Amino acid sequence: RKVLLEKFKNISGSNIKIIDLDTHYSKEIFSNLKLEKEMADSKFILSPPGRSWTTTRHVNLSCFNCIPIICEPDIQTVNLELNDGKNCIKYKNLKNLELEEKIFEIENLIKKLYYYLEKPNHELEKISKNWRDHIFENHTVEKKSLYILKTLENYKRKFNI
């Protein structure tokens, strides 16, 4: 994430504002209201992978009419489809890549951002709406709960419990 944040700072003319939550949380209390205001004023938000499928950061983005920049999850997600250019901007997880692959992936992501920055607002809003619609339809508390129940039932059958 830190590498991406540094690279994003150097995209000229993009007015990309970096909200580094690690810095804010370690040095000041960063209120949810302030964070939400920053997110609402953004066209794109980098949403790094969470530690489990229950992460809410991808879902939270759907409320702010922005396009999520999401790495292909290295974790299982529930009913979450990442469609590059349709409902998000997607990039490969950098964690397990060799240095040359990381550089290539970062450069490719920056090219994508330049491409989307030149798009008219209505096209960006369509991508954002696709994300919001997908989240509201597929990544609900009810569907996550059903996933948990199904997983438990599968374990019961597998281990004859």
Side-chain angles (χ1 to χ4, degrees), residues 2 19 21 25-27 36 48 50 53 58-60 73 76 89 106-107 109 123 139:
K2 289 182 182 191
I19 305 169
L21 295 181
Y25 282 132
S26 65
K27 295 187 178 177
E36 289 170 1
W53 62 265
H58 303 323
V59 174
N60 293 345
Q76 185 175 8
I89 298 173
I106 291 169
E107 289 174 352
L109 179 55
E123 289 187 33
H139 202 66

Side-chain angles (χ1 to χ4, degrees), residues 23-39:
T23 301
H24 286 291
Y25 282 132
S26 65
K27 295 187 178 177
E28 66 180 69
I29 297 174
F30 196 63
S31 73
N32 283 343
L33 185 59
K34 185 177 177 184
L35 175 61
E36 289 170 1
K37 169 82 172 98
E38 297 287 348
M39 291 170 71

Side-chain angles (χ1 to χ4, degrees), residues 84 89-91 108-116:
D84 195 26
I89 298 173
K90 184 169 73 169
Y91 66 97
N108 192 36
L109 179 55
I110 290 170
K111 287 177 188 173
K112 283 184 187 182
L113 286 174
Y114 275 119
Y115 171 79
Y116 287 108

